Amino acid sequence: MTLFLQQLVSGISIGSVYALLAVGYALVYSVFSFTNWAFDAFMVVGAFGAFYAITDFKLPIPLALLFAILFTMLVSVFVERMAYRPLRIREAPRLFMMISAMGANMSIINIINLQFGGHFRNFPQITGETLSVGGIKIGMMDVFAAVFSFITLILLWIFLYRTKMGLGIRASALDLLTSGIMGINNDMVAIIIFGISGILSGVAGVFYGIKYAVFPYLGLVTIKAMIASIIGGLGSLPGAVVGSLLLGILETLVSGYISSEWRDLFTFSLLIIVLLFMPNGLFGKSTKEKL
Amino acid sequence: MKKLLSILLVALLLIGTLSGCSSKKELKIGFNTQLTGPDSYIGQAAKIALEERVEEINKAGGIGGYTLKLITYDSRSEITDAVAAAKRLLEQDKVHAMIGPEWTGAAVPIAQIANDSKIPVIATTASNVSVTVDDDGNVYPYMFRTCFIDPYQGYALADYAYVDMGLRKVASLTDISAAYSVGIQKYFKDHFEELGGEVVAEEGYQANDQEFRAQLSKIDQTDAEAILVPTPTYRDIALIAKQGAALNMGVIYLGVDGWVAEELLEMAGPELEGSILTSGVSSDQPQFAEFNKVFEEKHGIKPNVYAYYALDALEMIVYGANESLKAHNEITAQGIRDAIENMKDVQLFTSKMTMEPDTHNPHNKPALIIEIKDSNWHQLKMFEPES
């Protein structure tokens, strides 16, 4: 039983980081109907930003995290401006935007790799404490990361459902063209959406860096978040969160009880099964009602 | 305008072609390494070290009128890219010899390409047996290596764990996607059980995994006294040790030469306190102190064993080239190969080397047993294979 609970707790802590990324995917997809493959790079920018803000600029940790998150937001908006908007304005097919995203992703990661080197960097330790409840052990930093992730997601929900701007974004998600005709500035929507998704990936990158290590390829995990957001229903925010937690828990349970060698097989099989029976994912009610 | 552009282009092309026709004699050395990708730390220091050494040799007049030319391609830590880089170096650039790759997965397919093109390839840290011999034990004539082989590493580690440390129950956490890792786990297990020990849990993970708590929690439920982690990269063990510490596991780890990188000590020195590993070389050996210091001051990064082994490979080629000159009055790929196959007690960067002609493994390459203590490497013992 202890082992089960231990795996469950680990799974939730992994899932909470997936959730940030999956929501970012969902957000961009819901409005612009394309998958932002540059997320991987944004995560890396967040992690490196926080690391160098602390070690080189000597900023205090909370300020460094804030700096990294805002910096990632700017990079995200910049990529939207440079790599997506020109395509969007010229009405290029969605697929081209995805390719453009992949290009942006590889460029950013390679620049970071060549500029800073591919080695691991240890994030300055914030807390090494371990919380132990009834034999179940979890790092304090994991608890903090999970709590912070969920607070970020709740703030996002409030923004989308309780503010005028959020209403505008939801309108765009419903129909980008019509909302544009009705007076919503789509370029502004794009900036906000990419700003938010930049913040989400920045937070995920910072936590990933703290939890594991800072290196140019830490963003490989975004593929898992992508799967989570598809399982949840691509474009659905609650779906992305549920999908992420499910995936995190499934992965640890398979690793813990069956074998880690089977983990990816189970993960991808789950994806196929979900899509076979529910082509819109768990929460993808219909393509019209996304946010 | 268009006309002008095309004339310019043609002129540029001509210049390019003509410059290739110069009569300058060159000894071309290929370097197939990982400069980007998750394991880019492996190639970055090695590339600088090789370039520096090549420049040094050229400044001193080259080798018998030949100027050394290093051609480096990035394998991005991908087998397909490593194979493509090897093909380009061996078939298009027609180098005299190639250094790299650094890992077994890429070295095995490249052995065949080396054979076909009849150009010697010196794998650096690819330690699986199958890199230099086929399944029937026949040596690949053009494939060599600078490091020791896995059976010996697994054997030495199991021996030390059982006899010197008195361990009886060990768990293993193996990268199942790496032949290197799977091989060492097997050799360790075989000898450890032969001695009377028990491997109580065998867990696995896959390359580039970052999350190990599920496997560690499972191992925590057993009575393992130590965890064998035969990982090909220090990244894995750094994360494993940190996550093990977060789970308050309080075990020590047994490791291999894949661990060896200064970054590991910075990443997880305290978490790995008391852990034991085997390695062919160790950067704390006094003979490297001066080199390390100068290198780090000049380039801002620390040299690592991959750089040492790459330099060993370069010295092997330089030796082969000199021998080829003596025997044939010119440097040929075949001449270099023949000389390397028969080298005896040749001083390289790390140590003297004798090549075993029937296996193309360095003869009697000792395995160092190293302890991580106070976030530093400490050599405990040297294992000399029985010859």
Side-chain angles (χ1 to χ4, degrees):
Chain A
M1 191 58 192
T2 320
L3 180 61
F4 176 75
L5 289 175
Q6 176 70 59
Q7 304 290 28
L8 203 64
V9 167
S10 298
I12 292 171
S13 117
I14 296 166
S16 64
V17 181
Y18 288 171
L20 284 173
L21 295 162
V23 165
Y25 276 122
L27 202 58
V28 173
Y29 189 85
S30 65
V31 178
F32 295 107
S33 303
F34 87 100
T35 305
N36 183 10
W37 283 110
F39 246 45
D40 179 341
F42 297 161
M43 248 186 107
V44 180
V45 168
F48 271 79
F51 178 78
Y52 283 108
I54 294 174
T55 54
D56 277 18
F57 306 152
K58 310 283 177 214
L59 292 184
I61 289 172
L63 213 60
L65 302 191
L66 190 69
F67 163 80
I69 292 163
L70 292 180
F71 184 64
T72 318
M73 184 186 86
L74 288 180
V75 171
S76 173
V77 171
F78 178 75
V79 168
E80 193 279 327
R81 188 76 188 74
M82 301 304 291
Y84 307 147
R85 190 181 296 184
L87 294 179
R88 193 155 47 80
I89 288 172
R90 279 179 242 160
E91 290 174 359
R94 300 286 180 223
L95 184 67
F96 290 15
M97 288 172 84
M98 256 158 74
I99 302 297
S100 180
M102 282 179 194
N105 190 50
M106 279 183 216
S107 312
I108 295 173
I109 291 178
N110 277 314
I111 288 171
I112 292 175
N113 188 24
L114 293 174
Q115 194 59 39
F116 300 102
H119 58 280
F120 263 35
R121 296 153 190 83
N122 212 1
F123 212 93
Q125 183 128 16
I126 296 173
T127 167
E129 270 177 67
T130 302
L131 205 64
S132 186
V133 185
I136 300 156
K137 293 172 249 178
I138 182 165
M140 272 308 284
M141 205 51 229
D142 286 321
V143 177
F144 180 67
V147 170
F148 196 92
S149 302
F150 285 116
I151 290 176
T152 310
L153 294 178
I154 290 166
L155 286 178
L156 175 65
W157 186 86
I158 292 172
F159 172 74
L160 286 175
Y161 285 86
R162 294 285 179 268
T163 66
K164 202 175 160 195
M165 233 180 232
L167 186 68
I169 291 171
R170 283 188 291 138
S172 301
L174 210 57
D175 192 327
L176 196 61
L177 193 67
T178 313
S179 65
I181 295 167
M182 303 302 281
I184 291 174
N185 182 347
N186 281 338
D187 287 341
M188 197 40 136
V189 170
I191 289 177
I192 295 171
I193 290 282
F194 277 86
I196 295 172
S197 67
I199 291 173
L200 292 172
S201 51
V203 174
V206 167
F207 282 135
Y208 227 72
I210 294 174
K211 209 161 140 182
Y212 302 109
V214 180
F215 62 109
Y217 294 87
L218 66 89
L220 289 171
V221 66
T222 45
I223 187 79
K224 294 289 174 60
M226 178 71 211
I227 294 172
S229 92
I230 292 176
I231 291 175
L234 195 50
S236 154
L237 299 194
V241 176
V242 173
S244 300
L245 291 176
L246 256 178
L247 189 66
I249 294 169
L250 180 82
E251 280 191 352
T252 41
L253 289 183
V254 171
S255 299
Y257 283 100
I258 303 169
S259 161
S260 42
E261 295 154 29
W262 292 80
R263 188 198 57 207
D264 286 355
L265 183 71
F266 269 78
T267 313
F268 287 94
S269 303
L270 176 76
L271 175 69
I272 294 170
I273 293 167
V274 167
L275 291 183
L276 276 180
F277 291 98
M278 307 169 94
N280 286 321
L282 296 177
F283 285 71
K285 292 171 210 157
S286 81
T287 41
K288 287 281 171 237
E289 215 176 320
K290 283 179 283 193
L291 278 179
Chain B
M1 188 62 197
K2 266 188 183 167
K3 212 173 181 182
L4 190 70
L5 256 177
S6 39
I7 293 172
L8 259 173
L9 274 173
V10 170
L12 268 173
L13 270 174
L14 272 177
I15 294 168
T17 329
L18 289 175
S19 64
C21 297
S22 70
S23 59
K24 196 172 64 178
K25 285 196 288 185
E26 266 180 351
L27 166 57
K28 288 200 268 186
I29 299 168
F31 185 34
N32 188 343
T33 191
Q34 307 171 57
L35 296 173
T36 58
D39 293 323
S40 47
Y41 72 93
I42 285 179
Q44 287 174 347
K47 179 172 178 270
I48 298 173
L50 286 181
E51 283 169 350
E52 217 165 37
R53 180 76 184 119
V54 163
E55 201 188 312
E56 203 177 290
I57 296 173
N58 282 338
K59 268 192 187 152
I63 301 174
Y66 283 79
T67 315
L68 271 63
K69 186 181 175 195
L70 186 73
I71 308 172
T72 307
Y73 293 137
D74 178 17
S75 63
R76 298 174 56 240
S77 314
E78 296 278 351
I79 293 175
T80 44
D81 290 82
V83 169
K87 284 198 158 160
R88 197 169 159 198
L89 285 167
L90 301 180
E91 291 168 7
Q92 287 176 24
D93 298 326
K94 301 216 181 297
V95 294
H96 290 86
M98 182 176 96
I99 303 172
E102 304 92 346
W103 80 109
T104 298
V108 172
I110 286 174
Q112 200 54 52
I113 305 170
N115 267 359
D116 295 343
S117 54
K118 301 198 184 311
I119 293 169
V121 169
I122 306 173
T124 51
T125 47
S127 50
N128 191 285
V129 181
S130 59
V131 169
T132 55
V133 294
D134 65 18
D135 292 342
D136 301 323
N138 301 315
V139 70
Y140 294 123
Y142 291 86
M143 196 73 185
F144 300 88
R145 77 172 106 219
T146 58
C147 61
F148 54 38
I149 51 173
D150 292 339
Y152 186 62
Q153 187 169 191
Y155 180 93
L157 189 63
D159 214 86
Y160 190 81
Y162 189 89
V163 179
D164 297 64
M165 297 170 77
L167 298 179
R168 294 295 176 266
K169 287 183 176 174
V170 170
S172 67
L173 184 50
T174 312
D175 177 354
I176 53 160
S177 57
Y180 163 88
S181 195
V182 175
I184 295 179
Q185 196 271 351
K186 180 186 168 292
Y187 298 119
F188 176 92
K189 190 183 169 198
D190 286 352
H191 189 54
F192 194 65
E193 291 186 341
E194 195 178 270
L195 290 168
E198 191 189 343
V199 177
V200 290
E202 293 177 60
E203 293 297 318
Y205 65 91
Q206 289 173 28
N208 297 325
D209 275 3
Q210 289 158 17
E211 181 54 57
F212 303 93
R213 278 175 293 179
Q215 296 94 314
L216 289 169
S217 302
K218 215 171 151 189
I219 291 174
D220 202 19
Q221 307 279 315
T222 69
D223 50 358
E225 300 157 282
I227 308 176
L228 166 71
V229 187
T231 152
T233 151
Y234 79 90
R235 293 180 292 122
D236 303 344
I237 180 60
L239 294 177
I240 288 168
K242 282 174 82 174
Q243 290 169 30
L247 290 170
N248 270 339
M249 286 183 71
V251 288
I252 58 160
Y253 297 88
L254 301 174
V256 285
D257 59 347
W259 283 24
V260 182
E262 294 307 309
E263 288 88 351
L264 176 64
L265 303 175
E266 286 161 23
M267 286 281 309
E271 289 87 350
L272 286 167
E273 182 73 16
S275 291
I276 300 289
L277 63 142
T278 52
S279 177
V281 284
S282 162
S283 54
D284 80 317
Q285 287 172 280
Q287 77 222 54
F288 304 129
E290 184 59 27
F291 175 81
N292 291 347
K293 200 175 134 226
V294 173
F295 193 95
E296 199 182 344
E297 275 171 10
K298 197 165 166 193
H299 306 290
I301 59 169
K302 288 177 178 163
N304 49 27
V305 287
Y306 301 98
Y308 300 163
Y309 278 130
L311 285 172
D312 268 357
L314 179 65
E315 297 302 335
M316 283 162 77
I317 295 167
V318 168
Y319 167 79
N322 276 315
E323 292 301 302
S324 173
L325 269 177
K326 276 186 218 160
H328 314 287
N329 279 327
E330 60 170 343
I331 298 177
T332 61
Q334 188 64 35
I336 295 175
R337 188 217 85 92
D338 295 345
I340 292 177
E341 185 173 76
N342 296 304
M343 61 193 274
K344 279 193 183 67
D345 279 330
V346 177
Q347 183 63 47
L348 304 179
F349 177 76
T350 60
S351 61
K352 283 188 176 174
M353 189 191 279
T354 299
M355 189 56 69
E356 292 178 354
D358 53 341
T359 62
H360 285 190
N361 297 324
H363 181 62
N364 275 0
K365 189 120 183 166
L368 306 175
I369 301 284
I370 296 168
E371 182 187 14
I372 297 180
K373 204 172 147 192
D374 302 327
S375 294
N376 229 322
W377 316 107
H378 286 278
Q379 189 183 325
L380 292 177
K381 191 171 174 176
M382 189 182 279
F383 257 81
E384 302 268 8
E386 298 124 20
S387 42

